[in-house]
Amino acid sequence: MLRDVSLSVEPGEAVVVTGGNGSGKSTLLRIAAGLSKPSAGTVSRPRSVGWLPERFPSGVRLSARDYLRHQAAVRGVPVRWDLVEALGFVGDPDAPMATLSKGNTQKIALVQALTARDLLVLDEPWSGLDVAAASALRAFLASTTAAVLVTDHHGHDLPGARELPLGATSTGVVIELARVGALLPEVSALEGVLSAAAVGSGARVEVVATHSDQVLASVLRLGCSVRSVRW
Amino acid sequence: MVTALVRYLLADVLRTQRWLPPLLLFGAVLAMLNSSDAGPPLSAYAGTCVFVYPVAVWLTIVIATAEDPVRRTVTVATAGWWRVHAAVATLSALAALFVALLATLAPVLTQPRPYPLSVIAIGFAALLVCGLTGVGVGVLCARPVVTQHGWSVLLAVALVFAAFLFGQVPPIGNVLGALGHDRGIPTALTTSAVCALALTIGGTWLARTLGPRRA
């Protein structure tokens, strides 16, 4: 699944792993967190590791307070209630976690992971977070002295972070167009277009990232309508 | 760290209430065995040993799988594979100890026959050894060694019956035989204790080895 990956994350540094579905982002993170053993190669990691899974389970019977207390006790550190508040947790900390909303469960899972001192491995930490919590998380990750390794599907900005693209696909931009019709040959002839395929009366166009703005301007001038832009 | 882990696993498993069926079943069996004359103390203890073993297997599987696989990854990242599985085995052994204590005291409190201290001690040791064997078997039947619940149940049932199929062989059959005939009890208990420890440590090692390959 993963081959020839060499990565080192220094304390205080953040690395964002990007790539399409199935490109091995989660596998890389699980190896970094010490959950999976790579079939070849070596990993060295510091003592205190925090791990946030992509989807924290929803049926936990323990309360948020008990869960954080026990996890902190296993680490031998105090519970970071300040982080719980900074992330804007609303909900009953003494009710079973199963009764919390997805966003609030994610916040508890995050606090659990952010309690680690040396290495934070976070799989899609922004998913399910509201805007305020997302910016609180960004501020925390920017100021922490731990090494940070995250995956991100949504292009959240993490200041000073290094990007590690995974997978064979070029980091192209996919533009979905409507009202293309007979203009398809002209669209595919534009500079920077990697491929253009007709989808109904529209088209799906893959563009080199550096040319995406020119291509967008050109297709709009041609009279096409832009449905979505993804990268 | 392992103590904190054991506390966490205990708090978690108590919340799931999955420990209730095996303990209820065991309580019912204890009540049934002791409702009338249970016979000579040592063979009465042998009868209870038969049930302590599968109940310990069941409780161990409950303890090992109380955390779902995803939450287990969080705990493993925090504490490491070794410590997590050592904590599972420790908590299961404590559960087996609890069950063995109940089973030791129940006839003492309910039976009209005299239960001298030496007999109680032998009974307790035998029950504990059978319980620990159950812990070892349970660890072998649970995640991450066996990842699917259906197979866990089938394997556990097969291993429970296998212990009784071959007559007086360790780790269960020899203890039952020795207690029943009041003959060679120390040897049988020592042999079985070694087997139980080997099963538990081996199962924990296997879980620790297979865990990172299957996570």
Side-chain angles (χ1 to χ4, degrees):
Chain A
M1 203 158 178
L2 278 172
R3 192 180 286 271
D4 297 335
V5 178
S6 170
L7 170 68
S8 113
V9 191
E10 301 301 324
E13 187 191 21
V15 172
V16 180
V17 185
T18 58
N21 297 358
S23 60
K25 299 191 297 289
S26 291
T27 308
L28 179 67
L29 259 65
R30 296 169 79 87
I31 290 172
L35 303 169
S36 301
K37 197 179 151 74
S39 42
T42 57
V43 186
S44 69
R45 72 181 70 76
R47 254 180 71 85
S48 177
V49 180
W51 158 246
L52 175 77
E54 188 182 354
R55 267 187 298 254
F56 195 81
S58 54
V60 181
R61 304 298 310 167
L62 275 180
S63 69
R65 193 186 296 279
D66 284 346
Y67 183 67
L68 288 180
R69 194 166 51 79
H70 281 293
Q71 288 288 336
V74 172
R75 287 190 195 283
V77 297
V79 180
R80 293 291 304 267
W81 283 108
D82 56 322
L83 275 179
V84 178
E85 278 169 28
L87 287 171
F89 173 82
V90 283
D92 185 355
D94 296 306
M97 283 179 74
T99 62
L100 297 176
S101 70
K102 180 178 186 291
N104 280 314
T105 307
Q106 174 84 350
K107 287 171 189 174
I108 296 301
L110 254 174
V111 172
Q112 167 280 129
L114 300 182
T115 308
R117 277 191 316 275
D118 304 330
L119 171 65
L120 308 178
V121 185
L122 315 173
D123 200 352
E124 300 285 341
W126 280 279
S127 89
L129 290 189
D130 50 40
V131 179
S135 75
L137 174 62
R138 197 173 304 124
F140 179 89
L141 292 182
S143 65
T144 182
T145 53
V148 178
L149 184 61
V150 300
T151 59
D152 183 12
H153 234 92
H154 307 288
H156 283 89
D157 182 38
L158 196 56
R162 183 152 59 95
E163 193 178 322
L164 177 75
L166 282 186
T169 50
S170 59
T171 48
V173 176
V174 174
I175 305 174
E176 280 183 315
L177 300 173
R179 295 209 312 261
V180 178
L183 296 168
L184 189 62
E186 284 174 64
V187 171
S188 47
L190 289 170
E191 195 188 348
V193 171
L194 295 168
S195 68
V199 181
S201 67
R204 186 178 177 283
V205 185
E206 210 180 321
V207 185
V208 182
T210 49
H211 286 67
S212 58
D213 291 346
Q214 289 105 296
V215 172
L216 269 174
S218 306
V219 291
L220 287 172
R221 214 177 306 121
L222 284 170
C224 304
S225 163
V226 176
R227 249 202 211 131
S228 75
V229 181
R230 282 179 293 132
W231 60 276
Chain B
M1 198 186 220
V2 174
T3 318
L5 265 175
V6 169
R7 281 207 199 101
Y8 162 62
L9 292 176
L10 176 65
D12 192 46
V13 78
L14 286 180
R15 285 293 189 112
T16 66
Q17 302 183 344
R18 278 175 56 202
W19 49 272
L20 205 57
L23 279 192
L24 275 182
L25 177 78
F26 187 64
V29 166
L30 267 189
M32 196 182 70
L33 289 177
N34 291 297
S35 61
S36 56
D37 183 12
L42 280 182
S43 50
Y45 277 133
T48 323
C49 283
V50 172
F51 294 99
V52 164
Y53 168 53
V55 165
V57 174
W58 192 348
L59 280 174
T60 303
I61 294 178
V62 166
I63 288 168
T65 58
E67 272 195 315
D68 60 278
V70 175
R71 200 148 52 96
R72 176 55 56 84
T73 64
V74 172
T75 310
V76 164
T78 302
W81 283 103
W82 253 126
R83 290 198 193 89
V84 171
H85 286 295
V88 165
T90 308
L91 182 58
S92 305
L94 288 175
L97 176 71
F98 173 70
V99 168
L101 270 176
L102 281 185
T104 310
L105 294 179
V108 180
L109 298 175
T110 58
Q111 292 292 309
R113 292 171 189 262
Y115 271 74
L117 214 53
S118 59
V119 169
I120 297 176
I122 290 173
F124 175 64
L127 288 161
L128 190 59
V129 162
C130 292
L132 268 184
T133 308
V135 171
V137 170
V139 168
L140 282 176
C141 295
R143 274 199 316 262
V145 181
V146 180
T147 49
Q148 282 177 311
H149 204 67
W151 289 118
S152 279
V153 174
L154 270 182
L155 182 65
V157 169
L159 287 177
V160 164
F161 278 108
F164 299 116
L165 272 184
F166 303 105
Q168 299 187 10
V169 296
I172 302 289
N174 61 336
V175 172
L176 301 184
L179 286 179
H181 301 107
D182 195 359
R183 196 175 54 215
I185 292 177
T187 323
L189 283 183
T190 313
T191 316
S192 296
V194 171
C195 289
L197 275 180
L199 265 174
T200 307
I201 293 171
T204 304
W205 174 83
L206 197 62
R208 183 254 164 276
T209 310
L210 290 177
R213 289 165 213 272
R214 294 184 172 171

